[in-house]
Amino acid sequence: MAFATMAPEFRVTLYKTLNRRMVTSSDSGTVPASERFSGGKRVIDLTPFFGDGSVLETSKSVRAPAGQWSMTVVDEMVVEHMDSLYGLVEPMDVIEIRMRHRPDPAATGAEPPIVMRGFVCNVGRTLSMGANGAPARAVTLSGMDYGKVLEMIQIRYLPNY
C-alpha cells in the first residue's frame, strides 16, 4: 500500500505601497534615511525569513467583515535595503500569502494558489536569548484582507444587516 507524502509549500510576498520622499530641514538640507525605499525593489519575498519557530496563520469567517492573518518570522538584514525586516515593513503594505499542501508534479514551476491578500496592520519585534546565550530576534506581522478597507470606511457586510 502506498502512502501519499505531503510536502507543504508556501510563499509570502510583501508589496511596498508607501513611496518615500526626501525629508528636508533648514540646517542640514536633506536626510537620506527617508529615501531608503525609493529606487529599491518594491516587492520583497518574505519566504526565506521563515525558520525554526516561525508561524503563519490565516483565518476567514462569514461572520466577520475581514479575514485576518498573522506571521512570526526571523528578523534579519535585507542587504539590498541595508535595513532589517522590522524596519522595512510598514502598516498598509500589501501581503500576499500562497499555500498548498502538496505540489502537483504536472504543474512544475506553477505558483501555489493564493490563500489571502491583505494589508499589514501591526508590526512588532521581540528580542529573546536562547539557552546558549545567543540573541534571537523575531518580527510579528499581523493584518487583514481587503475587507479591512470596507471596515475602515464603516461599510459592514454581516449576515444580520
Side-chain angles (χ1 to χ4, degrees):
M1 179 162 63
F3 293 99
T5 303
M6 300 299 167
E9 182 182 1
F10 69 95
R11 208 166 287 152
V12 180
T13 309
L14 172 79
Y15 296 93
K16 297 296 297 172
T17 56
L18 299 175
N19 213 357
R20 293 289 181 173
R21 285 180 230 97
M22 198 64 119
V23 175
T24 59
S25 63
S26 59
D27 55 349
S28 66
T30 61
V31 179
S34 67
E35 276 293 302
R36 65 183 180 204
F37 301 123
S38 69
K41 235 167 59 172
R42 307 216 25 106
V43 178
I44 301 170
D45 184 15
L46 297 182
T47 311
F49 293 95
F50 284 84
D52 290 342
S54 293
V55 178
L56 176 60
E57 297 175 330
T58 62
S59 65
K60 181 81 174 162
S61 172
V62 295
R63 302 188 189 283
Q68 297 180 344
W69 59 267
S70 69
M71 66 180 73
T72 302
V73 294
V74 177
D75 190 17
E76 292 181 11
M77 175 73 83
V78 179
V79 178
E80 180 182 321
H81 294 289
M82 292 303 292
D83 203 349
S84 72
L85 187 61
Y86 177 71
L88 288 177
V89 181
E90 298 174 289
M92 295 311 290
D93 284 345
V94 174
I95 290 280
E96 182 180 82
I97 300 170
R98 296 175 173 266
M99 292 184 195
R100 64 178 160 204
H101 74 281
R102 182 175 56 182
D104 183 11
T108 306
E111 287 190 314
I114 292 177
V115 172
M116 190 170 286
R117 265 191 195 131
F119 296 103
V120 175
C121 295
N122 297 316
V123 181
R125 177 165 51 180
T126 58
L127 303 169
S128 61
M129 188 172 293
N132 61 355
R137 292 185 183 145
V139 176
T140 303
L141 307 173
S142 62
M144 297 178 163
D145 66 2
Y146 284 100
K148 176 182 174 53
V149 175
L150 299 176
E151 193 174 72
M152 285 173 27
I153 57 175
Q154 300 295 318
I155 297 175
R156 298 184 189 267
Y157 291 108
L158 296 174
N160 57 348
Y161 285 147

